[in-house]
């Protein structure tokens, strides 16, 4: 196993759609993504169908077509997914994506959904981003249509804007255990909490919000390493990857809504102490496997969340230069 050490920190790099330099997707992946549309977005037990997202992530991590077929058979055959008729609107919406193009489609349809970035515990925005990344019209039409169906806006953002870093504001609330009395993963209950809403007024938000929300998600997962914080990272990555498809004003709204959703999500999962600067520097200095080794391990994992997180972390590190993402990915694969 190859090892290397890295140092550095998160920067405010402007994201670009990853498909701009994408390799052409293999025909087998197209076929599998088409077949996936015969399953509902929801899964047994009120959970979410991860099949399309896993296929895209594994492809991005270098999985060959044979492995993609294995992933399809594993998830489609385990009794977790629910076969369902394709929605009546899917063919028409797919044709519209082909006609309008991915960039225009997202620019037109995403803004009304920004107030519900937490939809399906961030899987709605993740599925949209994966569909854009792989450039599959049917998957994008299905993802956007499903998001519209399940969208419930979070409370309005505060009119006031402060000058404090988001991580500092949320750390105070986490130590006060705001949300701990509201039950597990009650993100919306936290978002409606008066103390939470007042605290957001002291955060600077604005153009910095997109970066600061992603930083909070990153540090939260470094600290807690649980199901909730994993989805904060993958959701933040998806939102940031879609940002260049929006107007400058809409990007600010995206960032502020992401800050609101990630903050409430972190608190709803139990909050907790975020890592201190010295601890972060120590993690950044640790030797970690190279990305090719991490990606190869993740692409073979039977856990859909492993490939999704590694996919997200690799792109985040490429865009921001933050080595903590590589350490997170290695940890998720049991390599750190």
């Amino acid at each position: 196993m190859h090892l290397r050490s890295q140092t550095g920190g998160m920067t405010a790099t402007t994201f670009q759609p990853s498909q701009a330099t994408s390799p052409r997707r293999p025909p087998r992946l197209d076929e599998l993504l088409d077949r996936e549309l015969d399953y509902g977005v929801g899964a047994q037990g009120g959970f979410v169908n991860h099949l399309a997202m896993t296929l895209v992530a594994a492809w991005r991590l270098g999985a060959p077509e044979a492995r993609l077929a294995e992933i399809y058979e594993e998830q489609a055959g385990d009794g977790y997914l629910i076969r369902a008729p394709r929605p009546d609107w899917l063919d028409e919406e797919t044709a519209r994506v082909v006609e309008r193009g991915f960039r225009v489609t997202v620019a037109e349809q995403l803004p009304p959904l920004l107030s519900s970035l937490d939809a399906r515990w961030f899987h709605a925005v993740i599925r949209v981003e994966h569909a854009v990344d792989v450039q599959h019209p049917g998957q994008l039409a299905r993802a956007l249509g499903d998001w519209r169906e399940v969208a419930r806006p979070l409370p309005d953002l505060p009119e006031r804007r402060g000058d404090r870093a988001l991580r500092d504001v949320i750390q105070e609330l986490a130590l006060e255990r705001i949300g701990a009395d509201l039950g597990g993963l009650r993100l919306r209950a936290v978002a409606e909490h008066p103390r939470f809403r007042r605290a957001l007024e002291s955060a600077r938000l604005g153009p910095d919000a997109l970066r600061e929300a992603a930083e909070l998600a990153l540090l939260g997962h470094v600290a807690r390493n649980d199901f909730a914080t994993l989805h904060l990272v993958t959701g933040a990555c998806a939102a940031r990857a879609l940002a260049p498809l929006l107007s400058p004003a809409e990007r600010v709204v995206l960032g502020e809504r992401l800050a609101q959703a990630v903050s409430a999500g972190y608190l709803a999962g139990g909050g907790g102490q975020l890592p201190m600067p010295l601890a972060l520097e120590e993690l950044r200095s640790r030797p970690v496997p190279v990305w090719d080794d991490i990606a190869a391990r993740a692409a073979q994992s039977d856990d859909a969340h492993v490939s999704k997180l590694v996919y997200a972390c690799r792109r985040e590190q490429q865009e921001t230069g933050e080595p903590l993402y590589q350490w997170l990915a290695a940890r998720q694969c049991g390599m750190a």
Side-chain angles (χ1 to χ4, degrees), residues 182-194:
L182 300 174
L185 302 185
R186 294 281 307 276
L187 184 153
R188 288 176 172 272
V190 173
E192 294 168 356
H193 197 290

Side-chain angles (χ1 to χ4, degrees), residues 1-4 6 61 218 221-222 225 230 283 286-298 301 305-314 317 322-336:
M1 182 182 295
H2 306 292
L3 298 175
R4 69 179 178 191
Q6 293 183 309
L61 296 174
L218 169 66
H221 194 47
V222 168
N225 189 26
L230 183 148
L283 289 178
R286 289 184 183 181
V288 292
V290 295
W291 274 115
D292 285 349
D293 290 346
I294 299 172
R297 175 76 66 88
S301 175
H305 294 97
V306 171
S307 56
K308 284 173 53 191
L309 182 76
V310 172
Y311 160 95
C313 285
R314 183 166 67 172
Q317 192 201 43
E322 171 56 81
L324 287 173
Y325 284 112
Q326 191 165 352
W327 179 82
L328 270 188
R331 183 180 71 176
Q332 198 70 32
C333 292
M335 301 170 77

Side-chain angles (χ1 to χ4, degrees), residues 61 63 245 250:
L61 296 174
L245 304 182
E250 289 164 345

